[in-house]
Amino acid sequence: MKRLTLMTLALALVAGAFTLTAGDAAAQGKKQFIAIGTGGPTGVYFVTGNAICRSVHRAAAEGRKSGRKHGIRCSAPSTGGSTYNINNIMAGDLEFGVAQSDWQFHAYNGSSKYEGKAVKKLRAVFSVHPEPIQIIVGKGVNINGWGDLKGKKVNIGNPGSGQRGTADFLIKESGWDKDKDFKLAAELTSTEQSKALCDGKIDAFFYTVGVPNAGVSVATDGCGAKIANFNGSLAKSMVTKDRPYYAWATIPKGTYKTTSSDVTTWGVKATFVTSADVPEDVVYEVTRAVFENFEEFKKLHPAFKNLDPKTMIKDGLSAPLHKGAAKYYKEKGWM
Ligand code: GLU
């Protein structure tokens, strides 16, 4: 219900955006509405999108005082996740979105799920926090890595989420069939999966998400779930030079109540993307707002703690930078 309400609001805002002419409306201080696609309400994408909106509104308020105006109004509704966001940016229903670095790569290059459907208008703005791939295992269930998921009740994620795309990819790479090789391949959202794990309806869930986060802690701190290592042969065959969108990751000891030692896994980066059709001045103002308020931005989620503009403007980005973002990075001397 909450999601529906937010989507309706977002659609109303987006519809509003189309009544304005593109171009330099933002720079002239004219009202312009943008919507940022995020993920489930307990994930980090939802915070990311809303932190970006907060920076945009703060820049607008500061601009009103100093005479440097922009008129952008921003909303960041909860959505299905990475590929939902990319597809809806391309459909013109969202201006921006958060998406995993692997899905930015596949969408732009027309590989994996995007084979024959390359999204050539996709543009990168910056990357955000790392998102380790996590296999979260219910208390007392004997699963110690990817291979042990075979024959179990596993949540592989809702269609449209980045984790679902990555799970489908790994299932294929393993030569498995989701309908035959699991006792159950559930398609729950990130909000539903922790409760299902705590209730014993599933043995484990597969989730690609920033650390720490509220959704995972419901399962770990709430009902004793553990995060398995994911560092065997499949992981080793994935983190290679020709897949720059993957990297090794550690979830440090003490992150959650049940993380009694470091967890070794691998994963992707969250990235902030848009379309080449979104006007340069809009992307410039949004980018500027985030980096001019960067210390404030970093405080809005613990997963943002180690963010550094120098790496954010290149790591995990495979689509070209949007002109509006590149303009700001050049002004700052970062490019
Ligand atoms: N990585 C997930 C996705 O692409 C979202 C994680 C989050 O909500 O923070 O759908």
Side-chain angles (χ1 to χ4, degrees):
M1 191 57 209
K2 184 171 176 197
R3 184 143 137 205
L4 258 184
T5 319
L6 284 169
M7 277 314 293
T8 316
L9 174 69
L11 288 175
L13 293 177
V14 171
F18 286 119
T19 63
L20 288 162
T21 47
D24 59 353
Q28 290 163 4
K30 269 192 216 142
K31 268 212 189 90
Q32 176 141 359
F33 293 99
I34 59 165
I36 302 174
T38 64
T42 56
V44 187
Y45 283 13
F46 189 66
V47 181
T48 305
N50 282 284
I52 294 169
C53 283
R54 197 178 151 125
S55 306
V56 167
H57 295 153
R58 191 182 157 127
E62 282 166 5
R64 278 194 291 277
K65 279 185 230 144
S66 66
R68 192 197 168 280
K69 278 186 201 156
H70 80 65
I72 304 171
R73 299 291 179 273
C74 182
S75 72
S78 165
T79 71
S82 287
T83 54
Y84 175 98
N85 296 339
I86 292 173
N87 298 344
N88 281 275
I89 291 170
M90 288 310 129
D93 291 336
L94 295 167
E95 281 69 35
F96 294 89
V98 192
Q100 290 179 195
S101 51
D102 52 347
W103 293 109
Q104 182 185 141
F105 178 93
H106 291 311
Y108 185 73
N109 292 294
S111 49
S112 189
K113 270 211 307 206
Y114 288 90
E115 202 170 327
K117 300 181 277 192
V119 181
K120 284 297 172 201
K121 281 191 174 175
L122 188 66
R123 291 293 177 270
V125 184
F126 50 77
S127 60
V128 209
H129 54 280
E131 297 192 272
I133 296 178
Q134 293 158 64
I135 298 169
I136 321 272
V137 183
K139 191 177 180 179
V141 177
N142 190 20
I143 291 175
N144 297 304
W146 171 262
D148 294 341
L149 293 175
K150 203 172 176 183
K152 299 288 197 308
K153 293 179 281 175
V154 183
N155 184 43
I156 57 173
N158 62 288
S161 68
Q163 59 266 15
R164 173 55 182 277
T166 307
D168 284 341
F169 177 72
L170 293 176
I171 289 167
K172 201 168 161 204
E173 287 291 311
S174 305
W176 297 350
D177 177 327
K178 86 172 167 54
D179 299 317
K180 290 195 194 121
D181 289 300
F182 297 106
K183 195 167 178 185
L184 169 73
E187 300 190 307
L188 303 173
T189 65
S190 56
T191 315
E192 296 161 334
Q193 63 192 0
S194 287
K195 189 171 183 312
L197 189 73
C198 291
D199 291 347
K201 293 198 174 110
I202 51 173
D203 298 317
F205 64 78
F206 179 92
Y207 194 17
T208 311
V209 67
V211 176
N213 85 84
V216 171
S217 75
V218 169
T220 53
D221 301 20
C223 67
K226 286 191 179 150
I227 310 174
N229 285 312
F230 190 173
N231 55 358
S233 53
L234 179 62
K236 287 185 187 124
S237 72
M238 289 294 140
V239 188
T240 55
K241 270 205 295 289
D242 56 333
R243 292 200 176 102
Y245 43 89
Y246 291 148
W248 291 107
T250 302
I251 300 170
K253 176 180 167 178
T255 301
Y256 299 107
K257 272 192 193 156
T258 56
T259 323
S260 49
S261 52
D262 286 358
V263 176
T264 309
T265 182
W266 57 289
V268 295
K269 273 211 164 180
T271 71
F272 187 52
V273 296
T274 186
S275 159
D277 290 342
V278 174
E280 180 176 328
D281 62 320
V282 172
V283 180
Y284 174 86
E285 289 298 339
V286 172
T287 308
R288 182 183 185 280
V290 168
F291 289 106
E292 296 294 318
N293 284 300
F294 197 56
E295 288 313 309
E296 284 304 310
F297 180 88
K298 275 184 12 180
K299 284 185 202 141
L300 296 174
H301 196 284
F304 301 159
K305 200 173 76 190
N306 298 320
L307 293 184
D308 174 2
K310 303 271 180 323
T311 52
M312 287 169 76
I313 68 170
K314 54 176 209 288
D315 286 8
L317 309 182
S318 23
L321 273 178
H322 191 285
K323 278 188 297 194
K327 181 179 168 200
Y328 177 75
Y329 303 148
K330 281 180 195 149
E331 265 176 31
K332 294 296 278 186
W334 296 342
M335 272 176 73

